[in-house]
Amino acid sequence: MQAQFLTLDGIDGSGKSTHLETMREWFERRGMPVLFTREPGGTPLGEELRRLLLSPDSRVGLRTETLLMFAARRQHLEDVILPALDKGIHVVSDRFTDATFAYQGGGRGIPAADIEVLENWVQGSLRPNLTLLLDVPLEVSFERIARSREKDRFEQEEAEFFARVRRAYLDRAAAHPQRYRVIDSNRSREEVRAAVEAALQAHFEAV
Ligand code: ADP
Ligand code: TYD
């Protein structure tokens, strides 16, 4: 089996951090080699860019924001993702390019065609083998975020922004059904965990 590139995505507060743990445990139980990483970030340069991108004090233009996401991504691919896959290690990334289509595309209004140009330039033909998309209604995500943490620069956006982000994720998932599993995250942690595990099981049985 070729090493698999998996991504976990969804709006803020959808349960991503919670279910990265589900995924980590799933791989651990099976003794499968896996590397967990995240975007923006994953390398020293990427983590610096992440800090700037998420800081509520940063002033970043729309195109600049999009370019910085892809700059971090290119370094991440070169230094972390591609070398791991080459060595036969599965990779799970907490967010990837779907987040750019959703946040910079849907949320901020950068045309998807422009993002596709950068996607092709930065990634060549590389796309995730499987993307788990955690989906929750906005009210639920807002309530979960309010209970759990200080808001970063993106989380401070208004509800309309997140409605567009969520719509963009769901539209992309509908357009690429073979790559995405949309998981209803508006359920108990245990139910979502079971759905995440089932999606992993089905994927690895099929490859
Ligand atoms: P994300 O990483 O997508 O922003 P988190 O996993 O950090 O989301 O979840 C946000 C908050 O919601 C956390 O406090 C988490 O414990 C809680 N949470 C996650 N999943 C559920 C769930 N199914 N039901 C209730 N609360 C949840
Ligand atoms: P996130 O991964 O949600 O981290 P945490 O769980 O610690 O809040 O934060 C990253 C933020 O960056 C999130 O709001 C989405 C945003 N983002 C983009 O806007 N575009 C991208 O391409 C990526 C990867 C993330």
Side-chain angles (χ1 to χ4, degrees), residues 8-14 16-17 20 38-41 50 53-54 65-66 68-70 72-73 93-105 108 145 149-156 161-162 165 169:
L8 181 65
D9 231 309
I11 60 173
D12 293 277
S14 59
K16 244 169 4 79
S17 309
L20 276 168
R38 69 169 177 183
E39 289 209 351
R50 177 187 179 92
L53 282 160
L54 268 54
E65 181 178 282
T66 306
L68 290 177
M69 292 294 178
F70 273 107
R73 183 161 300 137
S93 186
D94 175 358
R95 296 194 187 280
F96 195 62
T97 307
D98 295 303
T100 314
F101 281 100
Y103 283 77
Q104 283 65 51
R108 304 257 197 248
I145 292 171
R149 57 181 181 249
E150 293 279 303
K151 291 181 177 177
D152 66 33
R153 195 169 62 83
F154 290 98
E155 289 166 348
Q156 292 180 354
F161 175 87
F162 284 101
V165 172
Y169 272 128

Side-chain angles (χ1 to χ4, degrees), residues 4-183:
Q4 298 292 295
F5 178 34
L6 312 182
T7 63
L8 181 65
D9 231 309
I11 60 173
D12 293 277
S14 59
K16 244 169 4 79
S17 309
T18 303
H19 294 292
L20 276 168
E21 284 315 305
T22 300
M23 295 178 82
R24 206 185 291 279
E25 287 162 21
W26 190 89
F27 279 96
E28 240 168 47
R29 277 203 300 280
R30 285 161 185 76
M32 290 162 73
V34 63
L35 181 122
F36 280 79
T37 187
R38 69 169 177 183
E39 289 209 351
T43 66
L45 175 76
E47 291 295 326
E48 278 292 305
L49 292 174
R50 177 187 179 92
R51 190 179 56 72
L52 292 168
L53 282 160
L54 268 54
S55 164
D57 300 332
S58 291
R59 285 189 56 247
V60 191
L62 300 193
R63 292 180 183 208
T64 309
E65 181 178 282
T66 306
L67 290 168
L68 290 177
M69 292 294 178
F70 273 107
R73 183 161 300 137
R74 178 64 210 177
Q75 200 68 34
H76 192 203
L77 281 167
E78 276 178 36
D79 291 357
V80 177
I81 297 176
L82 294 174
L85 293 173
D86 278 347
K87 284 187 216 136
I89 300 169
H90 304 299
V91 174
V92 176
S93 186
D94 175 358
R95 296 194 187 280
F96 195 62
T97 307
D98 295 303
T100 314
F101 281 100
Y103 283 77
Q104 283 65 51
R108 304 257 197 248
I110 299 274
D114 292 349
I115 300 174
E116 276 165 18
V117 170
L118 293 169
E119 180 185 38
N120 290 329
W121 192 62
V122 165
Q123 296 167 219
S125 61
L126 183 83
R127 301 290 180 274
N129 299 109
L130 175 70
T131 295
L132 302 184
L133 177 61
L134 298 180
D135 182 55
V136 278
L138 299 190
E139 315 78 71
V140 175
S141 81
F142 289 156
E143 202 237 314
R144 287 183 187 171
I145 292 171
R147 267 194 281 119
S148 66
R149 57 181 181 249
E150 293 279 303
K151 291 181 177 177
D152 66 33
R153 195 169 62 83
F154 290 98
E155 289 166 348
Q156 292 180 354
E157 290 290 339
E158 81 279 20
E160 218 6 79
F161 175 87
F162 284 101
R164 293 193 300 273
V165 172
R166 183 183 181 209
R167 175 51 42 213
Y169 272 128
L170 291 173
D171 286 349
R172 275 181 73 70
H176 306 272
Q178 69 294 354
R179 168 156 79 83
Y180 284 91
R181 294 294 168 273
V182 180
I183 293 176

